[in-house]
Amino acid sequence: MNRAILALAAVGLTGGCSTQATQESATTGDAQAATPRAAQATPARPSQPAATVTAAATAKAVPGKRSVYYEYDKSEITPEGKKLIEAHADYLRAHPGVKIVIEGNADERGSAEYNVALGQRRADGVSKIMTLLGVREDRIETVSFGKEKPKAAGHSDAAWSENRRSDIVYR
């Protein structure tokens, strides 16, 4: 009896959350297996609208990593960087209304002018690959911050390697 009450309470608690469709299904199935036949006769709550389920699924589809990293004084994209760009391009092709800004950055070494130009080459390189992968140019904006927007503080190789990057920012 206590198990049946706990199972029904768990179903009731998760029922109010619209982003838990997968977890709710698993919980409901577990609750039905643990409850007697009489308790299963309670009316099921209406299924979620497809738009809610789709919105929850697409929110997870955006790649978590958003920075492409570079070697010192280079703008060539590494194989790891290409995989990341491909993942973002896949997401953008699947979501044609989404736009991005690619922010090119450099470490603190070098003049301000040189680093702005290097950051722009880096951002443009990411943009070019995305357009080759089918993302329309009008959905991509590029900007260079040079050394003005560091990710890591410090004057070491570790900090500098974090700051040599292009960030993909969704708008």
Side-chain angles (χ1 to χ4, degrees):
M1 178 72 173
N2 286 341
R3 228 184 236 184
I5 293 171
L6 288 173
L8 288 173
V11 170
L13 289 174
T14 60
C17 185
S18 66
T19 60
Q20 302 258 340
T22 305
Q23 187 177 22
E24 179 185 318
S25 299
T27 305
T28 304
D30 292 346
Q32 287 176 350
T35 58
R37 288 254 178 229
Q40 289 181 10
T42 57
R45 67 185 215 31
S47 64
Q48 293 179 326
T52 303
V53 174
T54 303
T58 57
K60 295 178 184 176
V62 178
K65 293 183 180 180
R66 305 222 179 147
S67 296
V68 177
Y69 294 97
Y70 302 89
E71 295 296 319
Y72 173 68
D73 200 29
K74 303 281 184 202
S75 58
E76 290 80 25
I77 297 169
T78 64
E80 182 179 296
K82 286 180 185 174
K83 288 179 187 174
L84 180 65
I85 295 166
E86 288 171 1
H88 283 279
D90 289 344
Y91 177 82
L92 289 166
R93 282 193 313 271
H95 299 86
V98 177
K99 294 184 177 187
I100 60 168
V101 177
I102 303 169
E103 300 175 345
N105 296 277
D107 64 36
E108 66 183 352
R109 298 172 290 178
S111 70
E113 296 82 12
Y114 180 82
N115 285 331
V116 167
L118 179 59
Q120 190 64 50
R121 285 193 307 273
R122 290 173 173 169
D124 289 343
V126 173
S127 175
K128 181 177 180 179
I129 290 174
M130 284 197 175
T131 56
L132 291 172
L133 291 170
V135 179
R136 286 191 345 257
E137 230 176 277
D138 64 342
R139 297 175 55 203
I140 303 170
E141 180 183 335
T142 61
V143 64
S144 175
F145 290 110
K147 60 184 175 182
E148 300 304 317
K149 195 175 174 186
K151 186 182 243 183
H155 310 287
S156 65
D157 287 335
W160 293 330
S161 67
E162 285 289 310
N163 295 330
R164 295 189 304 262
R165 70 193 192 283
S166 290
D167 294 324
I168 300 168
V169 180
Y170 286 82
R171 298 194 285 162

